[in-house]
Amino acid sequence: MSVETERSSTESSAASGLDFEDTALTLTLRLPGSAPAPAPAAVASLSSSSSSAFPDADRKRASSDTDPDRSSPLAASSDAAPAPKARVVGWPPVRSYRKNALADVAGSSKANQAAKFVKVAVDGAPYLRKVDLQAYAGYDQLLRALQDKFFSHFTIRKFADDERKLVDAVNGTEYVPTYEDKDGDWMLVGDVPWK
Amino acid sequence: MAPAAPMGRGGSRAAPAAAAPPWHVLPDEVWEHAFSFLPADSDRGAAAAACRSWLRAERRSRRRLAVANCYAASPQDAVDRFPAVRAVEVKGKPHFADFGLVPPAWGAAAAPWVAAAADGWPLLEEISFKRMVVTDDCLEMIAASFRNFQVLRLVSCEGFSTAGLAAIAAGCRNLRELDLQENEIEDCSIHWLSLFPESFTSLVTLNFSCLEGDVNITVLERLVTRCHNLKTLKLNNAIPLDKLANLLRKAPQIVELGTGRFSADYHPDLFSKLEAAFAGCKSLRRLSGAWDAVPEYLPAFYCVCDGLTSLNLSYTTVRGPELIKFISRCKKLQLLWVMDLIEDRGLAVVASSCNKLQELRVFPSAPFDAAEQVSLTERGLVDVSASCPMLESVLYFCRRMTNEALITIAKNRPNFTCFRLCIIEPHTPDYTTHQPLDAGFSAIVESCKGLRRLSVSGLLTDIVFKSIGAHADRLEMLSIAFAGNSDLGLHYILSGCKSLKKLEIRDCPFGDKPLLANAAKLETMRSLWMSTCSLTLGACRQLARKMPRLSVEVMNDPRRRCPLDSLTDESPVETLYVYRTIAGPRFDTPACVQIV
């Protein structure tokens, strides 16, 4: 199946140094067999992988408008834009627990930080949605938000090998979140550390 | 010890056949009973040092043990010395681990402590771990080893999942408190709450606010309903508002409540439901939660404001008049934690309304964003310290400060025991005079004779450390960052500060000389942390040689892989962590940490 090969190709490709800061991101939910539309440098997509095939696959597509000037304190790659102010590790002394909670809270309030919006496409939905990657502290939260935004009847099932899938409880279709990174490879969401 | 005359009858009566024994040979049980009235461990420790019989009586009757540094003694040492312990508290990683300065896998495993306790303290009832690595295996062992286990408190720990919690729920039949504060808990989607058996009713405290995943609300409701003694309930973000109302109706006796995520679109029905539920909670005294910009719901709390003594809004983004109106109704507040969104004008209202305030913490809403958006300055702190006579503990994040403000604060509040000021931008001077803030902090330590904890920030020279060293006699913990200009600064601290226990320093120009000159001081302290200072490996080696009862840990730059032995004495040391220990060097260090 095309999805199988797709997934095996993503699993075999090494986790690239994905730098969300200066790549454009697109999230897509796709059914097996549907070809990816031409996308900007990095694309994130959610592809369904179950055996039940939908003849008419709609598509949700996501692309991001990231701010390339925003600096990442942990970016090892040197191709990030130079930071206007270098962040010192561990300063100001705010606990990591609080930092994560602030990220949650900032996502829902009028954001103090620049939002990293990413378009999300889901196969079978009539229009796209945008999510703010800054608002979530981890993949679990992102998936939960996608679940909220799209289908209330989706549940998230976590598998033993740390893969995450969105499952449509109504008809059992599994949707696998994937994205296309800057090299144009389709990657399974969750391999690279969140930040 | 010279024998004292027999007490009681003395020699004036005939034939003192039944004379009372000399006081110093009273049976141990009498001393144990006497020592039970000493609440502080330090007093018990002092008693134990008096003589052998007191040592014996004290150690055999010690019920509560606090190990402030898990590497200061081995678990077996603790169990051997205090065989009757019922409650133990162990702390692991150094404080700066909270801010990411300690490398991962540094240590502080709870497993050896649990194993030793399981073996030597079968009657253990309470365990508290702070900044330690607690695994699911640990939790399973706890559930299996202690028949009368009652209290589990985990603060800032990691390494366990909901599977471990399931073991605790299923195995600890007498559990009274499950208190999980700011831990990193992996969600295995296990419905751990449902593993509390239907017959289980003893819960008094349930705090799972740091849990990320969902909980089964029905199971939670049933648990809350059957635990009639439940006094503290702190929910996580997964509980929606209408369910909160239901829970409160089932537990109106609640004293402390954490609401979890308190956000929903405004519906008058839901508002009335909440208002009625809160009106039923006549004993509610402490309130916390993560509230997201729902000012319309705040009036639902008004009925409990009168009784509130503790309010933690430090995860709340509500700002402006609604927030201020709410806080101003809480006239009995003793503790207030809030975000800087309260601004100076909000603190002015706090100052006039909350005269019983003892502790104030103001957290930054945008710590990493240099743009000034929030109008919180020195003004707010000055107002509160002027009007709240019982204020003794402050944690304050702001972006500007003046010496004059600090001097005023010091004059108004000589009763501070804890003063932690964090000016967000390093090296920030007094913004009106552009002078260092030496005068201000000096005023604090000179005026506040009972100061036990101090954190300094802003532009500071060695002068402030001279004041601190000379005046801060009761100071036990001192945190310094981006301050000082020479070795003298550190020397003043180490040669003064009579009561210093913990010293943590980062990014200061302090070098080898004051460290070596004051080596003996380090044995009187619990620990010293120095990162990004001007230390060399040679000094650390010398210190380790000179002071065998100290453990000298050097943490390498993780990019540098070469072993310590091959490095010269002149090599710079990025991080030094020194602590006194009777257990010798530990063997569980990761590759980037080495014991010199």
Side-chain angles (χ1 to χ4, degrees):
Chain A
M1 275 190 68
S2 59
V3 173
E4 252 66 76
T5 51
E6 196 176 83
R7 281 191 48 202
S8 62
S9 75
T10 61
E11 274 153 14
S12 62
S13 59
S16 61
L18 188 73
D19 188 353
F20 280 90
E21 315 299 346
D22 54 359
T23 57
L25 276 148
T26 308
L27 262 133
T28 353
L29 260 172
R30 296 197 287 111
L31 284 175
S34 43
V43 172
S45 67
L46 301 166
S47 322
S48 80
S49 68
S50 99
S51 47
S52 69
F54 279 85
D56 43 319
D58 298 338
R59 172 168 303 191
K60 282 186 184 170
R61 200 147 294 273
S63 67
S64 85
D65 314 315
T66 53
D67 178 8
D69 288 327
R70 188 168 165 78
S71 71
S72 161
L74 303 171
S77 58
S78 50
D79 52 317
K85 175 161 257 155
R87 251 195 245 175
V88 181
V89 174
W91 188 266
V94 174
R95 285 192 182 178
S96 42
Y97 180 83
R98 177 169 292 277
K99 265 193 276 190
N100 293 339
L102 274 180
D104 277 357
V105 159
S108 48
S109 71
K110 316 291 179 226
N112 299 326
Q113 313 162 37
K116 237 182 302 189
F117 278 108
V118 169
K119 282 196 227 159
V120 180
V122 174
D123 287 342
Y127 44 79
L128 313 183
R129 299 299 300 269
K130 269 206 170 179
V131 294
D132 176 11
L133 285 184
Q134 289 283 53
Y136 308 109
Y139 286 111
D140 288 320
Q141 291 188 22
L142 172 63
L143 286 181
R144 224 175 290 143
L146 292 173
Q147 170 195 342
D148 287 346
K149 274 196 144 73
F150 294 113
F151 316 101
S152 52
H153 51 269
F154 266 8
T155 57
I156 299 175
R157 208 192 295 162
K158 205 167 170 183
F159 287 72
D161 49 349
D162 234 18
E163 287 172 36
R164 294 162 178 85
K165 294 193 179 134
L166 284 172
V167 179
D168 185 345
V170 171
N171 50 32
T173 319
E174 287 177 9
Y175 287 74
V176 176
T178 62
Y179 59 86
E180 187 179 329
D181 69 6
K182 57 188 174 199
D183 296 330
D185 299 324
W186 288 98
M187 315 284 295
L188 188 65
V189 163
D191 287 332
V192 181
W194 176 252
K195 211 48 203 128
Chain B
M1 207 176 273
M7 283 162 64
R9 300 184 196 115
S12 52
R13 300 273 191 93
W23 67 272
H24 65 281
V25 296
L26 287 172
D28 280 356
E29 291 76 26
V30 177
W31 292 121
E32 290 177 20
H33 185 65
F35 294 147
S36 69
F37 293 101
L38 295 172
D41 285 351
S42 50
D43 292 335
R44 289 192 71 120
C51 64
R52 279 218 181 84
S53 60
W54 281 23
L55 172 68
R56 193 177 58 233
E58 196 283 314
R59 58 171 274 264
R60 291 213 293 233
S61 62
R62 180 85 78 104
R63 288 276 189 268
R64 306 193 70 89
L65 183 65
V67 182
N69 175 3
C70 65
Y71 290 119
S74 75
Q76 203 53 51
D77 287 337
V79 170
D80 289 343
R81 166 138 176 179
F82 301 106
V85 161
R86 299 280 167 94
V88 68
E89 176 190 0
V90 187
K91 296 186 187 175
K93 301 185 202 172
H95 175 230
F96 276 177
D98 285 351
F99 317 125
L101 293 181
V102 172
W106 175 82
W113 288 91
V114 176
D119 200 40
W121 293 327
L123 298 177
L124 193 65
E125 296 170 358
E126 293 185 28
I127 291 182
S128 286
F129 285 134
K130 183 168 182 178
R131 281 192 211 102
M132 295 190 69
V133 177
V134 180
T135 60
D136 285 342
D137 284 345
C138 289
L139 295 178
E140 280 163 23
M141 190 180 270
I142 290 174
S145 310
F146 308 110
R147 283 184 307 114
N148 197 24
F149 195 71
Q150 296 176 23
V151 173
L152 181 64
R153 191 172 303 118
L154 300 176
V155 181
S156 300
C157 295
E158 55 177 349
F160 63 104
S161 74
T162 44
L165 296 180
I168 295 287
C172 300
R173 266 172 284 144
N174 296 321
L175 197 69
R176 276 190 297 116
E177 292 186 30
L178 180 59
D179 191 359
L180 307 170
Q181 298 179 28
E182 300 195 350
N183 303 289
E184 281 192 29
I185 307 178
E186 202 190 315
D187 187 2
C188 289
S189 304
I190 289 182
H191 296 298
W192 59 279
L193 264 184
S194 39
L195 288 170
F196 283 111
E198 284 301 316
S199 56
F200 173 79
T201 59
S202 49
L203 216 51
V204 174
T205 293
L206 179 61
N207 174 8
F208 59 94
S209 49
C210 59
L211 217 60
E212 296 249 316
D214 291 323
V215 293
N216 186 324
I217 310 269
T218 322
V219 168
L220 177 61
E221 274 183 23
R222 280 211 303 271
L223 181 65
V224 165
T225 307
R226 65 181 187 272
C227 293
H228 301 294
N229 290 325
L230 193 68
K231 297 280 190 302
T232 295
L233 179 62
K234 292 172 121 171
L235 309 168
N236 71 348
N237 288 345
I239 315 280
L241 268 191
D242 59 331
K243 302 297 181 196
L244 170 66
N246 294 347
L247 285 166
L248 286 177
R249 275 207 307 276
K250 303 212 175 356
Q253 76 282 6
I254 211 125
V255 174
E256 177 165 8
L257 176 69
T259 65
R261 179 146 299 199
F262 195 86
S263 68
D265 296 327
Y266 181 77
H267 289 297
D269 293 343
L270 183 50
F271 179 91
S272 314
K273 207 173 159 194
L274 277 172
E275 197 180 31
F278 277 111
C281 296
K282 306 259 188 269
S283 308
L284 190 57
R285 298 284 170 269
R286 299 193 287 273
L287 193 57
S288 58
W291 304 355
D292 295 346
V294 274
E296 294 86 9
Y297 281 117
L298 283 186
F301 287 106
Y302 281 177
C303 47
V304 297
C305 286
D306 274 339
L308 283 186
T309 57
S310 166
L311 190 55
N312 179 354
L313 302 179
S314 62
Y315 292 99
T316 304
T317 52
V318 178
R319 46 167 96 205
E322 291 88 7
L323 175 66
I324 299 173
K325 207 160 37 156
F326 178 70
I327 297 182
S328 65
R329 289 169 157 256
C330 304
K331 306 234 185 280
K332 299 216 186 86
L333 270 193
Q334 295 169 13
L335 180 146
L336 176 64
W337 291 16
V338 78
M339 294 252 248
D340 57 5
L341 303 169
I342 193 173
E343 300 189 323
D344 288 339
R345 58 193 173 121
L347 286 179
V349 173
V350 169
S352 58
S353 314
C354 309
N355 304 106
K356 300 215 165 38
L357 200 64
Q358 295 173 17
E359 177 173 332
L360 173 70
R361 294 197 192 185
V362 179
F363 293 94
S365 54
F368 306 112
D369 197 341
E372 180 123 2
Q373 302 136 331
V374 159
S375 177
L376 180 93
T377 69
E378 78 281 6
R379 183 86 248 130
L381 187 56
V382 169
D383 286 343
V384 177
S385 58
S387 306
C388 300
M390 305 200 317
L391 187 69
E392 56 175 42
S393 176
V394 166
L395 169 64
Y396 201 77
F397 281 83
C398 62
R399 290 187 186 272
R400 62 181 214 193
M401 186 52 60
T402 64
N403 281 309
E404 188 188 335
L406 285 172
I407 292 170
T408 307
I409 291 167
K411 202 155 51 116
N412 283 329
R413 285 281 69 76
N415 50 326
F416 275 142
T417 55
C418 170
F419 188 77
R420 292 191 282 165
L421 179 66
C422 179
I423 302 170
I424 291 178
E425 190 60 38
H427 308 298
T428 305
D430 177 324
Y431 76 93
T432 56
T433 65
H434 305 292
Q435 292 299 303
L437 290 169
D438 297 338
F441 279 107
S442 298
I444 294 279
V445 293
E446 282 164 34
S447 166
C448 305
K449 307 255 187 272
L451 197 65
R452 289 200 297 270
R453 187 164 178 189
L454 177 67
S455 298
V456 298
S457 57
L459 181 66
L460 295 168
T461 71
D462 292 341
I463 295 175
V464 72
F465 298 119
K466 189 168 183 195
S467 301
I468 296 176
H471 291 109
D473 287 340
R474 301 260 181 86
L475 193 66
E476 295 176 4
M477 184 167 175
L478 177 62
S479 308
I480 307 172
F482 303 102
N485 30 22
S486 79
D487 284 350
L488 264 184
L490 181 56
H491 179 68
Y492 286 137
I493 298 293
L494 289 179
S495 57
C497 292
K498 296 189 194 130
S499 310
L500 196 62
K501 288 204 186 122
K502 288 203 296 190
L503 179 60
E504 46 186 28
I505 301 173
R506 61 164 295 174
D507 293 274
C508 296
F510 300 148
D512 301 336
K513 285 216 290 283
L515 190 67
L516 292 171
N518 294 286
K521 170 81 169 178
L522 298 180
E523 228 180 66
T524 70
M525 290 165 52
R526 188 185 306 163
S527 65
L528 166 70
W529 169 284
M530 288 179 69
S531 58
T532 320
C533 298
S534 309
L535 296 173
T536 65
L537 190 52
C540 298
R541 286 175 172 147
Q542 239 184 303
L543 181 65
R545 270 198 305 271
K546 204 167 157 184
M547 310 289 303
R549 283 187 295 204
L550 293 180
S551 188
V552 180
E553 292 194 13
V554 164
M555 297 184 218
N556 290 341
D557 183 347
R559 286 186 295 245
R560 201 167 57 187
R561 291 248 149 253
C562 52
L564 216 53
D565 297 336
S566 66
L567 296 174
T568 65
D569 280 352
E570 287 73 39
S571 323
V573 161
E574 174 59 27
T575 300
L576 170 73
Y577 182 51
V578 182
Y579 50 90
R580 64 180 173 192
T581 177
I582 59 171
R586 63 186 177 110
F587 298 111
D588 58 350
T589 52
C592 59
V593 176
Q594 284 170 29
I595 313 239
V596 173

